[in-house]
Amino acid sequence: MGTASTTRGRPRDTKSHDAILDAAFVLLQREGYAAATIERIAAEAGVAKQTIYRWWKGKAPLFMEVLARKAGQSVDLPDTGHFQSDLTILLTGTFAAVSMTLRPLMRALAVELLQDHELANSMREVFVARRRANIRTLVQRAVDRRELPNNVDAELICDLVFGPMWYRLMFDHAKLDQDAAEQLAFAVTGAAGRAMGDGT
C-alpha cells in the first residue's frame, strides 16, 4: 500500500523522514491536530521547515502518511471458519486501533477531505480500500462455505460494517469497543442472511 499521492518523491534521508512522522503523531496525541503545525512538527523532529515542505505540500498530506503508517500496523485478517466470528475479531481490532490511536487523526482529516479531492483519494487508498477489501474477503469465504448466499452484495455489507464506525467516530455518541464489534457483527450477519437468503 503506497503513499505516492501524499508525498513529493522518495525521501533522501530515511531517519529525518521517520522523525517527522513520529513527531507529527506525538504532537497530535499530546496537543491535537490544530496545534500540530508544520513549525511545531519541525521543531519536535529537529529538522528545518523546508525539509518537511520538500516531501509534503502541507500538513494534511503529511498526516495522511502518518495515518497510512499507523493503519498499516493494525488488524490482521482472521480465519476462524465462521463469518460472524471473523467479523467480530476484525472489528474488535479495527475499533481498538481507531479508539486508541487513530480517532483524532481520522476526525481531523475528515474535515480536510471535504475540501481537497486529492487528499480524499489518498484516504480511500491508504485506509478505506484496504479495509473494504478485508470485508470482501470474509464475505467471499462465507459464500464459499455457504454461510451466505451467492448473490450477497459485498459492497453493501462493507457499508453496513463501516457506516456505524464512521458515525460513532465523527459524533462520539457511543463507544467503539468490543461490545460494539460483537453487536455489529451479529447484526450484519443476521441482516445478510435474512435480506439476501432467497437467492441461494
Side-chain angles (χ1 to χ4, degrees), residues 24-60:
F25 189 67
V26 166
L27 283 172
L28 175 77
Q29 297 293 97
R30 191 170 67 205
E31 302 180 34
Y33 183 81
T37 63
I38 294 295
E39 290 78 8
R40 297 286 304 281
I41 294 169
E44 182 80 18
V47 302
K49 286 193 302 181
Q50 291 78 5
T51 301
I52 295 178
Y53 283 117
R54 187 186 311 143
W55 298 331
W56 297 277
K57 65 181 181 181
K59 185 170 83 166

Side-chain angles (χ1 to χ4, degrees), residues 12-190:
R12 296 179 182 176
D13 184 343
T14 301
K15 184 177 179 180
S16 294
H17 180 263
D18 290 345
I20 292 166
L21 295 178
D22 291 341
F25 189 67
V26 166
L27 283 172
L28 175 77
Q29 297 293 97
R30 191 170 67 205
E31 302 180 34
Y33 183 81
T37 63
I38 294 295
E39 290 78 8
R40 297 286 304 281
I41 294 169
E44 182 80 18
V47 302
K49 286 193 302 181
Q50 291 78 5
T51 301
I52 295 178
Y53 283 117
R54 187 186 311 143
W55 298 331
W56 297 277
K57 65 181 181 181
K59 185 170 83 166
L62 190 163
F63 273 102
M64 184 60 70
E65 186 162 346
V66 173
L67 176 61
R69 169 184 280 194
K70 295 297 180 181
Q73 294 173 352
S74 58
V75 188
D76 294 325
L77 192 60
D79 188 4
T80 66
H82 300 280
F83 178 71
Q84 185 176 326
S85 297
D86 287 346
L87 188 56
T88 298
I89 294 169
L90 185 64
L91 290 179
T92 298
T94 299
F95 290 176
V98 167
S99 297
M100 289 189 296
T101 60
L102 301 180
R103 178 188 292 266
L105 180 52
M106 292 171 66
R107 292 178 71 168
L109 286 174
V111 177
E112 303 281 351
L113 300 179
L114 298 177
Q115 307 172 56
D116 190 326
H117 180 70
E118 181 181 352
L119 197 64
N121 287 337
S122 295
M123 180 69 162
R124 284 190 290 270
E125 177 186 345
V126 305
F127 187 82
V128 176
R130 178 181 177 184
R131 277 149 182 77
R132 290 183 72 92
N134 284 343
I135 298 299
R136 287 195 294 270
T137 297
L138 297 189
V139 169
Q140 187 57 56
R141 289 175 181 172
V143 170
D144 293 342
R145 293 191 301 262
R146 298 188 177 181
E147 287 184 85
L148 295 179
N150 291 328
N151 68 338
V152 66
D153 187 339
E155 296 307 316
L156 178 59
I157 296 299
C158 291
D159 291 341
L160 291 174
V161 168
F162 291 117
M165 185 193 81
W166 280 101
Y167 193 83
R168 292 189 180 198
L169 179 69
M170 295 306 299
F171 294 103
D172 206 19
H173 71 289
K175 293 181 179 180
L176 285 172
D177 55 15
Q178 184 169 350
D179 285 343
E182 291 174 354
Q183 292 167 9
L184 183 56
F186 176 80
V188 169
T189 302

